[in-house]
Every structure is written in C-alpha cells, then in structure tokens.
Amino acid sequence: MRNPEASRLVGVYRRAVPVGARRVIAEHVGTDFREQLKSGIAAAAEVRNQVKRVRVVRRHRSLLARHDRTVVSVDGTPRIAHVVPGITPLEARRANLDEVAAALRGAGVEYFCVRSDSETSAALAVRREDRERVLTALRQACRVRPGYVVPVRGRQVQEESALPGYGAGPWKRVAGADVFRCTWYLTDQTGRLVLGLRYGCDIEFWREEGGELVSPRRNVVAEAVPVHEASVEADESLFTELAPLPAEQEQREQEPVRVPTRPAFAAAAVGRRTFPIDVVYTWVDGSDPDWVRRRAAFSDRPYHEEAANAARYLSRDELRYSLRSLHLYAPWVRNIYLVTADQTPQWLNTDHPRIKVVSHKEIFKDPDALPTFNSHAIESQLHHIEGLSEHFLYFNDDVMLGQEVLPQHFFLPNGLGKFYLSPALVPFGEPSPDDPPVAAAGKNNRRLIAERFGDNIFRKMKHVPHALHRGVLDEIEREFPEEHRRTAASRFRSVDDISVASSLHHYYAFHTQRSFSGEGLVYRYCDVGKPGVERVLGRLLAQRDAHVFCLNDTTSTEAELGRQQALMGRFLDEYFPYPSPYERGADNR
C-alpha cells in the first residue's frame, strides 16, 4: 500500500526539481532514491530526508561542483561531506585538526594542542584576545571547504546543533562561546561511512590572568600555563589513545605525527600505556577440499554433534570484515597474527608488514596432535607464537568491532587485563557426553580453579576480543600439564577439554591479580542460524552502537548455509564497505 505522506513528498520533489536537474542531483543523493521514486513505496521519514538533501543540493550547487563533495544524511539532517577514499576515524580526527591548524597559521594566530577528555575530537588553545582573527580565519576556511560549527557547552555536542560554517549566521552563534567545534564531514567512496561532529576540532579561548593563560574548561593535565612559555612538539599518542605509540609508527615506517603544545601537555603521565598490544586470529577455510578430506578421516570420532557441525568451520569471509573493523576502529594495534592449518585467504595481503601468517605446525609442541579441528586445542598453543607481545587480544574471526575501541577497554595502562562476563551460566555438575563442548570445557575449568584456588566459577565469557597475557598462558601450561596436553591432543572438541584462551586464562589471571572483570564495552551477540536474524542485523546496522558484535552460527544445517551466506554478506558489506590495507589491491597504509 502506498504511503500517503511519502507520495505527497515525492510530488513535492517532482514539482520542485526540473526533470533535467534530477539526474545531477541523483549523483549526489544516490540511486536508491531514484528507485524509491519509481516504486512510490518509500517510508515518509526517508523521503523527507531525501527532500532535505535535494534542497541542500539546489541551494549549494557551486559548493558541490567538485567531484569529491557529496550530500549525506546524518540523523535525518543533510550535510555536505568530503569524499576521502578509505577514511578512518583516526584520520578524520587528524584531518579536522590539520584544517583548523592551517587556518590559524595562515592568520598568524598562535595555538597549542590540549589534552582533552575526548579520544575522538582534538582541542586547540588560542588566546582570547585573538578571537576575531580566529573567527575570521575559520569562517573563511569553512567557506572554501564547506565545514560546520557548533558551540561546546559542557562535554557534549549535539548533532542537530551543528550549523553550516559556510554561511554568515552560524558564526554569530559561536562568536561569544568559550569553546566551539569546527568539523568537516568526511565519507568514503560508498557514502556508507560518515565521520562527522564526533571527530571535529575544538577551539578553546584561554584568557590571560596573572602571567598565565587560563583554560575556559577543565582538562586532564593543566588548567593554566605560563603566558610566555615556549611551545614544544609532542607525539600525537599523548592526545588520543586511538593513535599508535611512537615505536609502532617507526615499525610501520611512518613518520610519527607530532603536534605543537606546551611542556605540561608533552609530559609523560601516569596512566599512559607504554606496551605494545598485538592481535591473534584463528581461522579455517572449511570449504578447502584438502581440509575437508582430512576432517572426514576423523569425523566419526566427535562426542557431540556441535563439535563437527559444518557451520562451525564455514568461512563466510568474516575474517575479511573483522580485519576491516580492526583497521577502522583499533589503529593502535601493533601486529596481527593469523593462525591457520597452512591455509591463507586468497584475498589476504601477506606482504603487509603487520600481517603474520602462522601455521599450526609452528606452535604445536607435539606434531602428532596435527591435523586438529578443535579450537580449544589451537587456542591452548597461542602463546607459542614467535614474536607475540606479552599483552595481546585474541579474536575469533566472527568477532567485529562496531565503533572505536581503546586499549583501556582491554588492558589498564599498568598491564592488568579486563574480561567480560556473560550472563550465561556454566551448568553445575560433572562433565557429561551430553554437554555441548563449551559447557563441558567450562565445567573442567571450574574444577581446576576450585582445586587451585578454593572457589567455583559459574559464568561464561562474552564473545568479545579476549585480553590475554602470554605469561599467564605459559603458566597455565605448566600449572595444569595433563589437562593442557590432553586438550592439545584432542582433534575435535572433547568432553575432557579445557577452554584456555576464552575462559580459564581470565579466571586464573583474576586469582593471581593480573586481570579483573570489566564493564563499559557495549556488546551484541547474534546467532545467524536463529529465526528473526534479519531484524537483529537490521537494528545493528541502523544503530551502530556496539563496540563489539559477534556473528556466530552453531546450529545451521548445510542446506541452510547458502541463505545465511547471502544474508551475512549483505550485512557485512553494508557495515564495512571499504577494503582494508590487509587486502590485496587495497591501499597499503
């Protein structure tokens, strides 16, 4: 049934825009709207947003004449955005800071970078008496390259409050503000990833008082600095935890990003991470004929049907998208290790300096344990990876980052790890052949913890990146040699397994004062084999509010895998549309 409001708005669009102009407008607002006009069944809210975008296009044709500018919709509001291939959140933060800094330098205005409490937005301090020069310089910058401004009150800025800086009126709104934000909206070629107000640059007007410059708002280092103190340069990582450490920049053969600041903001502070963090993935291509033949030779032996379920080994290209999420949302990671059964995805850029492919043969102490099809066994050997950092994150390939995550989501700066407890419980009692593998392993973990420390564990862990200590894993292997050896030797998941990386490590590290239960990580779990998965994925895509999400499948039959593959492919391509540098043929940054 046609939506009356949608039809009315479609009519408004057609009356307002000549036929010849619609073709040009469609290049900016996309082909989807043209299809909506043809079908006449678009939702009224979506049509209203599109009409708003059209009006922006008509009003600002000269600003949109460049091929690298487009109109995007952010929370229902049209914004002029700049197309930057492969843009990431960290690069958006840098770009906005650079844009503001260049305008101030051009106007001869002195400034210095401030450590704010935001990891995604930068902050620059200027003298209050330079206000007019600052406003003039930034107003001109926003006219040359369309940007947006918003006064900052407290710690929050509202998307709907951002005003086009290429107009005259908005500058009256910020003229008397102690702090305001400049933002240039950035998007990739697909237009699906839009990085806006959250990544802008704040301009703070510091007042002179008693020989000092005094901040208009609190920050995490110094609220006043000497007026005539000389500026110094400091590494970008002091101002945002998103940035890699200087040593990691050098390893990547990249020039460290340095910014002007005052000595107080350049000083190393308690609470700053100084150790590297690596990532480890385990991956299998369950469609590889050689691997399938090897598995078939042992497939009559699993104790539980879930241990040999085809869905457990199917590759839906989740690894490709998980790596895209890592590139976007955790640029502070050092190296990435991919542990495989001598398999390598065809699309993987193995020449990338931060990618290391590791064979099971390199980490299993007992070669007779191979081939193995048991993730518990593989996880028990991760600490044998040569060159792996002491602190690392273990990812299953079905775990994705949905927005920026910081090192402190997983490790405190003093090295303590965080684990995230699930509300799901480990059943009480002894392990049984009727137990799903995860439950049996949980029961075995509980016995070891009870025998070693005198108390019981009952809760499972969430399917998030696991913050692991290499030294703890090595200690577990020494502390529980028989259980560890038996797990490593089990080709399929067994009733006698322990789950080292995903559970036992966390409880052992907790009892030895090296890890604790964390909070604050927004997490979503989706079993793609369950009914209603389309609605779950749709909400996840629309809201994008999860730090981490897991797309797991332990129940699908082989007959269902094709439909699940198509559904997952569409979702992941929408969420992570642009290739990462870890893919062949992509920008090798």
Side-chain angles (χ1 to χ4, degrees), residues 103 131-145 147 149 165-172 174-175 180 182 184:
R131 180 185 295 274
E132 287 306 317
R133 286 198 295 162
V134 169
L135 294 173
T136 299
L138 293 176
R139 182 166 57 242
Q140 179 62 23
C142 288
R143 287 175 176 170
V144 172
R145 191 165 184 264
V149 293
Y166 43 85
W171 292 97
K172 297 176 182 177
V174 301
F180 71 91
C182 269
W184 286 263

Side-chain angles (χ1 to χ4, degrees), residues 222-439:
E223 295 177 15
V225 298
V227 171
H228 300 297
E229 183 179 49
S231 291
V232 297
E233 281 199 338
D235 190 79
E236 172 192 37
S237 62
L238 287 172
F239 298 86
T240 174
E241 287 279 355
L242 279 177
L245 297 176
E248 291 158 23
Q249 292 276 35
E250 293 173 7
Q251 177 190 346
R252 300 178 194 185
E253 298 183 352
Q254 296 174 345
E255 284 291 327
V257 178
R258 312 248 332 148
V259 296
T261 189
R262 293 298 184 91
F265 295 102
V270 172
R272 176 173 176 260
R273 175 181 67 98
T274 58
F275 52 84
I277 299 174
D278 290 338
V279 162
V280 174
Y281 283 94
T282 53
W283 180 80
V284 63
D285 179 5
S287 63
D288 175 13
D290 291 338
W291 183 91
V292 170
R293 281 193 293 271
R294 290 197 301 272
R295 182 169 74 97
F298 299 94
S299 61
D300 60 335
R301 304 184 188 181
Y303 83 95
H304 193 280
E305 62 180 6
E306 188 178 301
N309 189 296
R312 178 169 296 283
Y313 305 106
L314 178 69
S315 172
R316 297 186 179 86
D317 251 1
E318 295 102 322
L319 177 65
R320 181 197 298 265
Y321 294 100
S322 186
L323 285 170
R324 289 184 185 185
S325 79
L326 196 67
H327 170 65
L328 278 172
Y329 297 130
W332 41 267
V333 164
R334 187 181 67 165
N335 292 325
I336 301 166
Y337 294 89
L338 179 63
V339 177
T340 78
D342 293 320
Q343 298 174 309
T344 304
Q346 291 185 347
W347 50 264
L348 187 70
N349 179 12
T350 54
D351 293 328
H352 195 284
R354 294 170 59 206
I355 290 285
K356 323 285 183 184
V357 179
V358 179
S359 168
H360 293 170
K361 296 173 185 175
E362 297 177 50
I363 61 175
F364 271 77
K365 285 186 174 181
D366 181 6
D368 292 337
L370 299 176
T372 186
F373 313 94
N374 179 3
S375 61
H376 290 153
I378 299 165
E379 291 166 3
S380 74
Q381 306 297 303
L382 298 182
H383 56 295
H384 298 153
I385 296 172
E386 184 177 355
L388 181 65
S389 60
E390 168 62 19
H391 304 83
F392 70 97
L393 300 178
Y394 170 51
F395 274 69
N396 290 122
D397 63 358
D398 57 6
V399 171
M400 320 277 170
L401 303 179
Q403 59 174 272
E404 299 90 6
V405 295
L406 302 171
Q408 57 260 38
H409 280 116
F410 306 103
F411 293 101
L412 293 186
N414 63 3
L416 288 179
K418 294 184 181 181
F419 55 85
Y420 292 90
L421 291 167
S422 167
L425 301 177
V426 178
F428 198 67
E430 296 299 314
S432 161
D434 295 328
D435 285 332
V438 66

Side-chain angles (χ1 to χ4, degrees), residues 46 57 108 122 321 424 588:
E46 178 60 20
V57 171
Y321 294 100
N588 189 19

Side-chain angles (χ1 to χ4, degrees), residues 13 82 105 168 185 348 508 575:
Y13 172 79
H82 305 270
R105 286 196 302 271
Y185 285 78
L348 187 70
Y508 187 92
Y575 209 112

Side-chain angles (χ1 to χ4, degrees), residues 45 62 69 202 218 243 254 301 306 370 438 488 512 547 549:
S62 61
R69 294 176 186 172
D202 290 353
R218 289 183 177 274
Q254 296 174 345
R301 304 184 188 181
E306 188 178 301
L370 299 176
V438 66
T512 55
H547 290 104
F549 59 87

